[in-house]
Each structure stands twice: as structure tokens, then as C-alpha cells.
Amino acid sequence: GKRQGLKAFTVEWTNCMRGFLKNEFLTTRPKGPKKETTIVVHIRRGDVQPCDLYTKNRYLTNRYYLDLIREYTTGSNNNENIYKVIVHSQNRSFEPWSDFNSLLPSANDHHQSNVTVELKLDAPLREVWSDIIVKADVFLMSKSAFSQAAAVLMNVNSTVVCMPHPHCHSRWIRMNHTRKQEEKARLENM
């Protein structure tokens, strides 16, 4: 049948799922000043490859995610801001996971001393959803229904960033046309 996209995530479905998941994932966050921003990233790998004719349109490069992470962690020069980045994916990947070491603090980059990165490969699906739904202040989603379903269930005060596609929720931030074209060019050069 024809794909439903976000139409399948009706208010009734979302409320029903939140009811099922309430004890597991949907906890209230502590109120008060918060100095740590948690950025959760879901990178689709495993079943998608940049050189595969049938899956390359769902592949987003490491560079795409690295640029977004840098954008969200360098938005403020205020050293009081602390960023925790959690990257979820599968171990099997066309690109090396060592690319994400560039986000770690170095002696020459004082800004990054307030950024920590945790790479979680092949984590249990429950842990991935918990990190997205409960912990994420910012969620950088992949082109996947798994990301999309978790994003729909997130707190409405969280920020969701997606590559433009017909199923993006109206409250999500869509990447601009320039970034989409840059990513398309990177994929063509792989």
C-alpha cells in the first residue's frame, strides 16, 4: 500500500503510545536552570549504503552530522554551556566512526572543552529511544521511520532537526536547500 508518513502518527496514536511508554520513557525533566544541553544523534547505517542504488537516498554522511553537531555546540561562546552529544548508530558503516573523534577536545581548541561525545554503536533499541525521547534537548534525526517515530513522541519543547522530506512534522527544523544540495554533492563524490 501507499506510505502513510506522518498521517499514521495521529493525535490518537501519539497519545496511545505515550500512555504505553509513560513509565518507561516519558518522565518529567527537573525544572530550574540547566547548563547542560543534550544532543542526541541517530545515524542510520547497517541497511543503507551511499553506493547502493536503492538505499543511497536515505544515507546521510558523517560530515552532515558533524557539521550539525558543531553548529549546535558552537552557537554560544558562553563557557557555562556544557554539551553532551550522544551518537547512536550501528557498528556496520561505510564511513569510519573515528570521524567523530574530531569533536573531542584538543589542546588547541578551548571551545570544545565543554563538549563530551559518547558513541553508542549497536545499543539496545530501548536505550536508543530512551536517549532520544527522555534525554534529548536537541535530536538530529536520520532518514528513518525509527527516528521519525521517536521524534513524534518527544517533548514538544525539544528541538528536532531533519533533512527535508514529505514526512517532516511542521514543528521540526528542516535543513535549508543549500545544506541539502551540499549533502547530495558529497554523496555523488563517494
Side-chain angles (χ1 to χ4, degrees):
K2 190 175 178 182
R3 291 185 142 183
Q4 290 285 324
L6 280 177
K7 292 177 187 173
F9 298 123
T10 63
V11 172
E12 292 81 16
W13 179 88
T14 303
N15 289 338
C16 181
M17 287 302 293
R18 285 185 175 147
F20 285 130
L21 301 174
K22 186 175 185 179
N23 294 332
E24 180 99 27
F25 297 121
L26 305 176
T27 60
T28 17
R29 294 181 185 187
K31 293 184 179 179
K34 184 177 178 182
K35 293 186 179 185
E36 182 178 86
T37 299
T38 301
I39 300 170
V40 178
V41 184
H42 176 244
I43 302 176
R44 184 174 183 168
R45 294 292 187 260
D47 68 331
V48 297
Q49 298 293 322
C51 303
D52 183 302
L53 180 64
Y54 299 103
T55 64
K56 70 179 181 180
N57 65 331
R58 289 177 289 194
Y59 191 93
L60 294 170
T61 63
N62 285 357
R63 170 80 186 271
Y64 168 81
Y65 291 105
L66 289 165
D67 288 350
L68 275 177
I69 292 167
R70 285 188 188 99
E71 183 177 316
Y72 276 88
T73 58
T74 57
S76 171
N77 291 329
N78 183 348
N79 284 340
E80 291 182 21
N81 291 336
I82 298 169
Y83 299 94
K84 179 178 184 176
V85 179
I86 302 170
V87 178
H88 277 286
S89 192
Q90 294 173 285
N91 190 42
R92 185 176 144 218
S93 177
F94 181 81
E95 297 176 273
W97 292 116
S98 58
D99 290 352
F100 288 85
N101 291 339
S102 67
L103 295 170
L104 298 173
S106 67
N108 300 332
D109 190 352
H110 300 290
H111 163 74
Q112 287 184 331
S113 63
N114 62 344
V115 178
T116 60
V117 179
E118 184 177 2
L119 188 59
K120 293 184 175 184
L121 302 177
D122 297 324
L125 299 180
R126 180 177 298 229
E127 181 179 341
V128 179
W129 263 33
S130 178
D131 284 350
I132 295 168
I133 295 170
V134 177
K135 296 179 183 176
D137 297 300
V138 176
F139 176 41
L140 309 180
M141 66 183 278
S142 65
K143 292 181 180 180
S144 80
F146 181 83
S147 276
Q148 186 178 13
V152 166
L153 294 169
M154 289 178 68
N155 182 321
V156 294
N157 296 322
S158 299
T159 300
V160 177
V161 181
C162 66
M163 185 60 85
H165 61 84
H167 308 305
C168 282
H169 194 285
S170 60
R171 69 178 167 86
W172 298 346
I173 297 172
R174 298 170 189 185
M175 291 297 87
N176 63 36
H177 182 72
T178 304
R179 183 163 278 157
K180 187 175 180 178
Q181 291 306 108
E182 289 170 353
E183 182 63 6
K184 185 177 179 181
R186 278 195 289 268
L187 280 170
E188 287 172 3
N189 290 323
M190 289 186 105

